[in-house]
Amino acid sequence: MDVVAWMPFIVLTPLILSAVVALLPGRFAPWGVSVIVAVVITALSFWVLGHVDETPIRYAFGQWPPPIGIEYRVDAANAWVAFIVSAIALLALVWGKASVDQEIPERQSVFYALFLLTLAGLLGITLTGDAFNVFVFLEISSLSTYALIAHGPDRRGLLASFRYLIMGTIGATFVLIGIGFLYMMTGTLNMADLAERLPAVADTNAIRAGFAFIVVGLGLKMALLPLHLWLPNAYAYAPNMVTVFLAGTATKVALYVLLRFIYTVFGFEGSFGMLPLAPLLMTLAIAGMVVGSWVAMFEPNLKRLLAYSSVAQVGYLVLGVSLVSVVGLTATFVHLFNHALMKAALFMALGTVMYQTGSARIEAFYGIGRQMPWTMSAFAVAGLSLIGVPATAGFVSKWYLILASIEAGHPWLVGLILITSFMAVFYVWRVIEAAWFKAPNEQAKPVREAPLCLLVPLWLTVLLNLYFGLDTRLSLGAATRAAQTLLGSF
Amino acid sequence: MSTVLSFFNYWVVVVLMMIGFYVVIARGNMIKKVMGLTLFQTSVFFMFISAGKVAGGATPIVRAGVEVYSNPLPHVLILTAIVVGVATTAVALALAVRINESFGTIEDDTLQDALLEEPSDRPEDTA
């Protein structure tokens, strides 16, 4: 088996089979094929992850040698992101069957086809080594995401989707403008080629403008604080399975692309020398951490609560980038994985309660802890991981973020990370308090524990949170290699 | 003056882009927002195409007696981007139709009022 020949199938399998899934009848076949696709790409990306070393794995499409043709270029950084995306897709699919059956009773083939298209788009962004190809896959994933969000049972999902479409298209067009400037100045679109030719023209306004456009465009896509307005409603009103998947993947892939542009295309010197990027990112990251956590503390809709918490978590991810060190970048890459795991678990737990009660309002959670003990215990454990309690995955990320802050000479950041963690304690506690210490609503019908088909994947994800809090060989090893690859490439 | 004129295409791009962007932000009607978005995207297409022109270059079809050709690659890129733009417009219009079906309006102001009557959740920052 040749790893180079099989690597492109990580993108091609979901892309091609989405067309097949769209034609399948009934409720079981589309889901079954999607799960098979997810298993295949998770296995493939894990296999590729094991094969990346100093030299990237390169595959030229249609035998056209780069820089003329489009190439996929996989190193430790994007192999890791591709693995996270496929694994979260698999978890979301396994958990989501019953939830999707309830929320989208008809025409599920279209829904799963869109899901696979989103997946193909995100993986394509991750693996490609061509700047224009990034834009194309960005739009493939975005367009299918808009349609997925509009599938939500609440009619406000349509408004959330429309708003995301407007903002997402502006973001993607900004990226396109940025790539246009790069192309005008260098005459190439291949990222490795761009990296070679950019230093010669780096000191021009066109390149500075292009860089600014790309940073803002991707900032929109990853919901960095002032550009996060699309995210809370998009997450809150999407079908639960889509929320589980998007919360773990979409913003992270945008962050990865930003890192790829900062470190590989513009190069370390170019990016941090051209604009005051590190202070800018740090300010926005801190603002995101504080504002996101603050709003989450008072949010009555629990899906929106977790969505605002995601805005805060994007802040943590970007904070790691802004510290400009191997440890900081390692913290970012390990948190990519850990945050995907904890948010997937939390949204799964919420979705499981919503499957039984139909509401994400905090009043609907009164007394639910006694009626659905397994689900709410899972929520509590995943909540501990979100807070960053030792022996959970969340602790590992926060620990590395703190180490990086001290190493970079910003010890006050440690205090800030602790404060935002206490804010997380507060908003997770609100849910726990509602579930266990409030009397159930008189009018509300008592509910029973959720079916096993939802509980088993939920607990599997929760246990993964605990496992990767104790055994960090896979997560930390891959994250360290990813950080070293990006920083080593300047 | 000659510099200003030689960048004529790019002036058009900037003006179109700002008009489109302004319409997206300032108009409450969803169809008008989509129109603004399309204008915004189209201006970027102009920018790429303008950059593909080589001074004195002929159309990029290989033939005898021609030495300098314009760059065909931006055209190919923009062909893809146009397809993306059409797809975006289609999805946006489809969403507008669905919103009109379920709310009875596509005006932002009226939508706010409709959402205020919604029983659950905070409506004020939904639309």
Side-chain angles (χ1 to χ4, degrees):
Chain A
M1 293 265 281
D2 180 15
V3 70
V4 178
W6 284 94
M7 177 265 287
F9 282 92
I10 297 175
V11 179
L12 294 179
T13 318
L15 191 63
I16 294 166
L17 282 175
S18 68
V20 177
V21 164
L23 302 173
L24 291 175
R27 285 174 161 205
F28 185 77
W31 175 78
V33 174
S34 303
V35 169
I36 293 169
V37 170
V39 170
V40 169
I41 59 171
T42 308
L44 270 178
S45 51
F46 188 70
W47 184 49
V48 169
L49 185 63
H51 276 77
V52 285
D53 44 29
E54 280 82 55
T55 49
I57 301 171
R58 304 172 65 168
Y59 181 90
F61 269 88
Q63 306 285 326
W64 289 90
I68 307 286
I70 291 168
E71 69 165 344
Y72 278 8
R73 198 183 169 90
V74 182
D75 57 22
N78 49 2
W80 177 232
V81 178
F83 173 68
I84 296 173
V85 172
S86 359
I88 294 295
L90 179 59
L91 284 173
L93 274 170
V94 170
W95 175 82
K97 175 82 174 99
S99 172
V100 172
D101 279 346
Q102 190 192 45
E103 288 178 327
I104 305 150
E106 282 167 359
R107 306 222 326 224
Q108 284 188 3
S109 50
V110 178
F111 176 81
Y112 284 111
L114 285 168
F115 182 84
L116 288 186
L117 264 185
T118 311
L119 186 56
L122 292 174
L123 289 166
I125 300 170
T126 311
L127 295 187
T128 189
D130 183 277
F132 192 79
N133 212 222
V134 166
F135 165 74
V136 175
F137 276 119
L138 194 65
E139 285 291 37
I140 290 178
S141 71
S142 304
L143 283 169
S144 32
T145 306
Y146 309 144
L148 280 179
I149 292 169
H151 270 85
D154 192 312
R155 64 178 183 162
R156 280 169 294 183
L158 296 170
L159 293 178
S161 172
F162 189 83
R163 186 189 223 185
Y164 183 17
L165 183 143
I166 298 284
M167 298 186 81
T169 308
I170 289 172
T173 311
F174 268 39
V175 174
L176 182 64
I177 297 171
I179 293 170
F181 278 124
L182 296 190
Y183 177 71
M184 285 179 203
M185 296 306 289
T186 61
T188 181
L189 289 164
N190 184 285
M191 287 183 184
D193 226 29
L194 274 171
E196 278 174 25
R197 296 192 197 178
L198 268 175
V201 291
D203 197 26
T204 56
N205 279 335
I207 294 298
R208 276 189 281 268
F211 184 60
F213 270 116
I214 288 174
V215 170
V216 175
L218 290 172
L220 244 170
K221 280 303 207 187
M222 70 188 189
L224 192 58
L225 178 76
L227 309 169
H228 70 285
L229 289 169
W230 57 268
L231 184 139
N233 283 332
Y235 280 14
Y237 301 121
N240 279 316
M241 186 188 100
V242 176
T243 313
V244 170
F245 175 63
L246 289 183
T249 54
T251 51
K252 283 143 191 104
V253 170
L255 177 70
Y256 156 75
V257 181
L258 183 65
L259 290 177
R260 180 59 79 191
F261 272 102
I262 289 180
Y263 285 104
T264 305
V265 175
F266 288 93
F268 179 80
E269 304 283 327
S271 310
F272 290 97
M274 188 159 24
L275 299 170
L277 188 65
L280 178 79
L281 287 180
M282 189 182 285
T283 315
L284 295 181
I286 291 170
M289 284 156 60
V290 175
V291 175
S293 308
W294 180 259
V295 179
M297 282 162 68
F298 306 104
E299 178 56 55
N301 179 319
L302 296 185
K303 264 179 104 178
R304 278 169 61 108
L305 182 151
L306 289 184
Y308 274 110
S309 152
S310 275
V311 174
Q313 303 290 323
V314 170
Y316 289 124
L317 292 169
V318 176
L319 186 67
V321 180
S322 72
L323 294 170
V324 202
S325 65
V326 176
V327 188
L329 209 51
T330 306
T332 300
F333 271 109
V334 82
H335 196 49
L336 278 183
F337 179 70
N338 291 340
H339 176 243
L341 272 184
M342 59 178 97
K343 263 303 148 53
L346 285 167
F347 274 118
M348 279 179 191
L350 271 195
T352 308
V353 177
M354 284 177 79
Y355 181 79
Q356 298 294 74
T357 66
S359 172
R361 296 278 301 178
I362 192 150
E363 292 83 30
F365 279 67
Y366 286 172
I368 214 88
R370 289 175 205 286
Q371 293 164 357
M372 301 177 70
W374 284 97
T375 312
M376 287 317 292
S377 320
F379 186 93
V381 178
L384 291 179
S385 183
L386 182 72
I387 294 162
V389 173
T392 59
F395 175 72
V396 180
S397 339
K398 292 231 168 111
W399 178 250
Y400 270 81
L401 210 51
I402 287 173
L403 283 184
S405 308
I406 295 170
E407 189 202 59
H410 298 296
W412 53 277
L413 280 176
V414 178
L416 201 75
I417 293 167
L418 286 178
I419 291 171
T420 50
S421 299
F422 279 119
M423 291 162 98
V425 172
F426 185 88
Y427 60 71
V428 171
W429 173 253
R430 277 180 58 216
V431 184
I432 308 288
E433 187 195 18
W436 269 288
F437 297 100
K438 295 264 174 130
N441 201 335
E442 300 275 309
Q443 285 106 33
K445 275 187 293 185
V447 289
R448 291 220 307 265
E449 186 55 271
L452 279 179
C453 62
L454 290 170
L455 276 182
V456 172
L458 167 63
W459 268 97
L460 178 72
T461 319
V462 170
L463 291 177
L464 284 177
N465 266 296
L466 296 177
Y467 178 79
F468 285 108
L470 297 170
D471 178 4
T472 55
R473 276 173 301 181
L474 173 67
S475 55
L476 211 50
T480 313
R481 260 182 293 139
Q484 282 166 347
T485 311
L486 278 187
L487 277 167
S489 60
F490 65 88
Chain B
M1 192 61 197
S2 61
T3 6
V4 173
L5 282 181
S6 69
F7 286 114
F8 179 72
N9 284 23
Y10 296 97
W11 288 114
V12 173
V13 167
V14 171
V15 170
L16 275 184
M17 189 182 283
M18 287 307 113
I19 294 174
F21 207 29
Y22 177 78
V23 171
V24 172
I25 295 167
R27 295 292 136 186
N29 185 303
M30 287 185 174
I31 301 295
K32 288 182 184 165
K33 272 188 195 289
V34 175
M35 286 162 76
L37 199 64
T38 314
L39 203 56
F40 179 65
Q41 287 182 305
T42 311
S43 71
V44 181
F45 304 162
F46 271 135
M47 185 184 88
F48 267 79
I49 300 286
S50 307
K53 174 67 182 167
V54 176
T59 41
I61 301 165
V62 179
R63 54 191 185 276
V66 181
E67 299 266 312
V68 184
Y69 297 103
S70 282
N71 185 353
L73 187 66
H75 297 84
V76 183
L77 298 180
I78 289 315
L79 203 57
T80 316
I82 288 173
V83 174
V84 169
V86 169
T88 311
T89 313
V91 175
L93 290 177
L95 280 172
V97 169
R98 287 279 308 278
I99 289 170
N100 193 33
E101 277 171 7
S102 50
F103 291 90
T105 177
I106 49 167
E107 293 282 349
D108 254 358
D109 298 344
T110 333
L111 273 170
Q112 298 290 346
D113 298 341
L115 286 170
L116 282 172
E117 288 155 20
E118 206 95 342
S120 63
D121 221 84
R122 287 194 321 205
E124 64 268 27
D125 40 11
T126 304

